[in-house]
Amino acid sequence: NMGWLVQAEAPPGALFKTFRAVAASGKAKDADIAFYFVHWFVDLAGAEPSPTDGCAKFVLKFPRRVLGQFLESFSVVQEISTKNETVVLENYLKDCWCRHTPALGPPPSGAGAVAKMRLVLMAQGDSLEMLTQLASLPADDRAVLNQEMACTGCKGQQFSVDDLTDLATRGKGPAILVYYGPALMQKPGKKDPAGALKVLAEVYRQTRELWPLQATAADETITVRIDALKDIECAQVLRPESGQSWVISKTSSKDAKVKLVSASEFKSLDWKNHQVMSFDGQRLGKETLAKTRSSPNLSAGGWMRRLSLAAGR
């Protein structure tokens, strides 16, 4: 999915693992890979046919900057047959950083380097402001983004600019793909980048509660869809209406989604497969949810009061 690449939406495993297996097998020549990209580009152009008006898809609906990134990515991705997934993505991130206008300086290195480079591409907007807001985030939110966005989903592979040395995430997985993460950063995040970053950090945090880090899962990636968040203001997510909460819902062994639930639904939820998103600095742990779940006679209002008290609201 080239959209995942040019907007840095996905970790390297989800992006390139299958493609690299074919390229490295010897069954695909360099010319075949080049032809694939040409075919993909033409296919995208014709996704909304308008034979009498020309290529309306690219001319009217694609920001020129994004279209340029699609084209510029081809030469980097063609290295996939000789370099591993993480190296190819890191080279692309560095290349985009160096070509950024206005200039952002040399590519970052150290803790948070991958998060910075990915977020610049995800936001596709005022990168300097976004980086300023990232630096101003609470330390725990910033640490979540720094670590989760540097997970590769490829066993034995780490980014050279931030290899997660001495951190729990190093060499473990699964990596997390936040589906529609770029939409969150580009739509509500354009108005409120700090709020969007907090929401993104909480999505990673609570998804990780459902899929704890394991060395045996280092080669895996799970996907969490945030369709429900991408078109609403961050304030509606950070401060939902009374009697409602945003939760991460596990839908399969490799998938989850964000949804808004009401107090009346809480009693029926399987809390082994759900995590409440909280933005007040106090988290609802699994023990708290288990105790709340074990109170069958609570009314809907009682459920919300207990959860609110547990979260310190």
Side-chain angles (χ1 to χ4, degrees), residues 275-293:
Q275 283 291 130
V276 178
M277 295 172 63
S278 175
F279 300 97
D280 49 26
Q282 299 188 41
R283 313 296 173 193
L284 293 177
K286 291 182 177 179
E287 291 183 5
T288 299
L289 291 172
K291 290 178 181 178
T292 303
R293 187 175 66 247

Side-chain angles (χ1 to χ4, degrees), residues 6 73 80 242 245 261 288:
V6 299
S73 70
I80 196 66
S242 178
S245 290
V261 298
T288 299

Side-chain angles (χ1 to χ4, degrees), residues 111-112 143 146-147 150 162-172 213:
N146 289 351
Q147 294 184 43
D162 183 3
D163 63 5
L164 302 175
T165 297
D166 298 328
L167 296 174
T169 40
R170 179 181 170 88
K172 296 180 182 177
L213 289 166

